[in-house]
Amino acid sequence: MWTIDQEDAYFKIYDSRKTLAGYFAPEYGDIQPEDKAEQVIQEMLKNHDPVKGGYLMLPLVKFNIFEDGKEMNLAYLEQQLQEVYTRVMAWKNLVTEKEIEHHKILISHTDHDMLSITLGIIFPSPVPLEKKEILGNLGGILDFANQKGLL
């Protein structure tokens, strides 16, 4: 159901409709010297070096209220906030059920009416920097989120 494409030092994840579902940024470790980081990362990608985990960035919730000039009434606002709450609770359950210890929430860089969630992913064992291997290790979380209606 999922496909993945490398772009620079991270990977874009697409659903079956070829819609961008999220991003995965591998944790490349402490690269020294820092000015050689880009070169070292490109070499790691080329050689399919293993990584211990990374950061899975996904859309958390869209508010549908923070648009310039958008007029609304209290009933609409209440409905939107209830939908936001329900979605946040579903994400909270996902993080708990999948035992994801670290996450952070930010305003989406592409839509200021949306929050994104970044999940700290630790693989059970190091995974080669190869699209099929990465996707195979992220598939469980992606499928679970999709089954819960979060993606």
Side-chain angles (χ1 to χ4, degrees):
M1 155 158 198
W2 308 101
T3 57
I4 189 169
D5 287 324
Q6 180 190 334
E7 185 165 304
D8 299 322
Y10 64 92
F11 295 84
K12 288 183 171 183
I13 301 167
Y14 297 91
D15 65 16
S16 60
R17 297 180 312 266
K18 305 294 183 223
T19 302
L20 182 63
Y23 301 91
F24 179 70
E27 173 56 59
Y28 292 103
D30 185 24
I31 300 172
Q32 296 297 327
E34 288 182 26
D35 63 334
K36 300 282 186 193
E38 189 174 320
Q39 179 183 346
V40 171
I41 289 170
Q42 289 307 314
E43 203 59 32
M44 289 175 74
L45 287 162
K46 180 179 154 194
N47 295 332
H48 303 292
D49 287 355
V51 294
K52 294 179 181 179
Y55 304 95
L56 182 59
M57 294 156 271
L58 301 167
L60 176 74
V61 65
K62 183 159 176 70
F63 286 85
N64 291 316
I65 58 176
F66 297 112
E67 298 172 21
D68 284 341
K70 182 175 183 86
E71 289 187 28
M72 61 192 99
N73 60 30
L74 287 172
Y76 176 83
L77 180 61
E78 179 183 26
Q79 175 188 349
Q80 291 308 113
L81 292 176
Q82 184 59 48
E83 288 175 14
V84 165
Y85 177 77
T86 300
R87 191 165 173 90
V88 168
M89 291 293 87
W91 274 105
K92 183 178 179 184
N93 291 336
L94 179 144
V95 167
T96 301
E97 288 183 44
K98 290 296 182 179
E99 299 177 349
I100 298 170
E101 293 185 28
H102 302 287
H103 70 277
K104 65 181 175 182
I105 297 168
L106 299 166
I107 295 173
S108 171
H109 68 277
T110 58
D111 183 346
H112 288 94
D113 191 37
M114 180 183 290
L115 296 177
S116 64
I117 187 166
T118 300
L119 306 173
I121 304 297
I122 301 171
F123 298 132
S125 61
V127 171
L129 286 166
E130 197 275 317
K131 292 191 284 188
K132 184 178 176 183
E133 293 288 332
I134 291 170
L135 196 53
N137 281 272
L138 296 176
I141 293 171
L142 295 168
D143 290 341
F144 189 82
N146 191 52
Q147 289 166 358
K148 300 290 183 184
L150 299 172
L151 296 177

